[in-house]
């Protein structure tokens, strides 16, 4: 993890193509040719946010200890969690309370500790929030540790299921680790 982990703003246009590129026509494929390793950052094209209709913002929010950013966005995160659990996992509403959200997605036994300056943040537990314009799309529950990034859970607004949020977040987190 040589590059600093930071908040990013990109456009939404092109994300669907980035995570599900069109297949290479069979006539242009060569079975005898050795494939070059895929560079993940080449698969996730992040267009200039200034030229697109919608903007994707990716924010890394510390949850242990609870940061000001977490406190100011926790109600929106909880609402997305509740919708996800009820619609995707068919949980009953009474099993999707705020206490369950805190216990399952916020409380962490991992203690924050200093990381090298080039990381730009401390090791610990975070929520990686993906916003489209001012709407929270999804939240990855992450632990950032010396050897990489662990995604413990992901929940998303079911309205955005068509964007394949799990695929995008997984690729983005791998790309972060490679940086």
């Amino acid at each position: 993890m040589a590059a600093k982990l930071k908040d990013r703003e990109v456009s939404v246009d092109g994300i669907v193509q980035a995570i599900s590129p069109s297949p290479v026509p069979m006539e242009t494929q060569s079975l005898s040719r050795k494939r070059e390793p895929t560079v993940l950052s080449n698969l996730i094209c992040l267009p200039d946010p200034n030229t697109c209709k919608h903007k994707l913002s990716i924010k890394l929010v510390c949850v242990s200890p609870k940061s000001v950013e977490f406190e100011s966005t926790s109600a929106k995160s909880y609402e997305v969690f509740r919708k996800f659990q009820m619609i995707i996992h068919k949980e009953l509403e009474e099993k999707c309370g705020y206490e369950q959200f805190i216990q399952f997605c916020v409380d962490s036994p991992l203690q924050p500790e200093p990381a090298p300056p080039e990381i730009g943040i401390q090791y610990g537990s975070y929520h990686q929030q993906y916003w489209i314009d001012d709407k929270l799309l999804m939240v990855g529950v992450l632990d950032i540790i010396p050897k990489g990034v662990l995604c413990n859970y992901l929940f998303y607004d079911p309205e955005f299921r068509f964007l394949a949020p799990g695929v995008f977040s997984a690729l983005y987190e791998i790309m972060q680790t490679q940086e």
Side-chain angles (χ1 to χ4, degrees):
M1 258 196 247
K4 287 188 177 192
L5 296 173
K6 57 186 176 185
D7 295 346
R8 297 187 186 194
E9 290 186 353
V10 296
S11 73
V12 175
D13 302 339
I15 287 178
V16 173
Q17 295 96 344
I19 61 174
S20 55
S22 55
V24 177
M26 281 302 279
E27 61 271 9
T28 62
Q29 293 180 0
S30 170
L31 298 177
S32 62
R33 188 170 45 180
K34 187 176 179 182
R35 285 187 173 197
E36 293 295 318
T38 301
V39 178
L40 197 55
S41 60
N42 292 343
L43 293 177
I44 300 180
C45 60
L46 303 175
D48 180 5
N50 299 318
T51 61
C52 297
K53 184 176 179 181
H54 297 282
K55 182 173 61 176
L56 173 69
S57 299
I58 303 171
K59 299 178 190 239
L60 197 58
V61 176
C62 187
V63 297
S64 179
K66 293 179 178 99
S67 65
V68 173
E69 294 90 356
F70 171 76
E71 296 292 352
S72 68
T73 60
S74 65
K76 288 184 180 180
S77 292
Y78 165 64
E79 201 47 46
V80 172
F81 170 80
R82 191 175 76 63
K83 282 173 64 176
F84 179 81
Q85 293 299 112
M86 291 173 61
I87 293 171
I88 302 299
H89 289 296
K90 311 277 190 253
E91 295 260 345
L92 299 174
E93 188 169 4
E94 56 268 12
K95 295 202 175 208
C96 302
Y98 190 74
E99 299 78 28
Q100 285 83 4
F101 165 70
I102 294 297
Q103 184 179 26
F104 189 64
C105 297
V106 178
D107 290 346
S108 172
L110 190 62
Q111 296 299 310
E113 64 180 72
E118 62 269 15
I119 300 293
I121 58 171
Q122 66 183 1
Y123 295 131
S125 298
Y126 292 84
H127 279 183
Q128 185 150 278
Q129 300 175 336
Y130 299 78
W131 297 80
I132 294 181
D133 300 326
D134 293 325
K135 184 162 175 67
L136 184 59
L137 164 66
M138 66 179 154
V139 176
V141 180
L142 308 178
D143 288 335
I144 298 179
I145 59 173
K147 298 285 184 184
V149 177
L150 303 173
C151 183
N152 300 311
Y153 196 64
L154 177 81
F155 55 94
Y156 57 86
D157 188 327
E159 279 181 47
F160 292 98
R161 189 180 338 199
F162 70 96
L163 288 175
V167 174
F168 181 78
S169 70
L171 291 174
Y172 187 80
E173 289 157 13
I174 292 167
M175 185 177 75
Q176 273 187 306
T177 303
Q178 289 178 340
E179 290 178 347

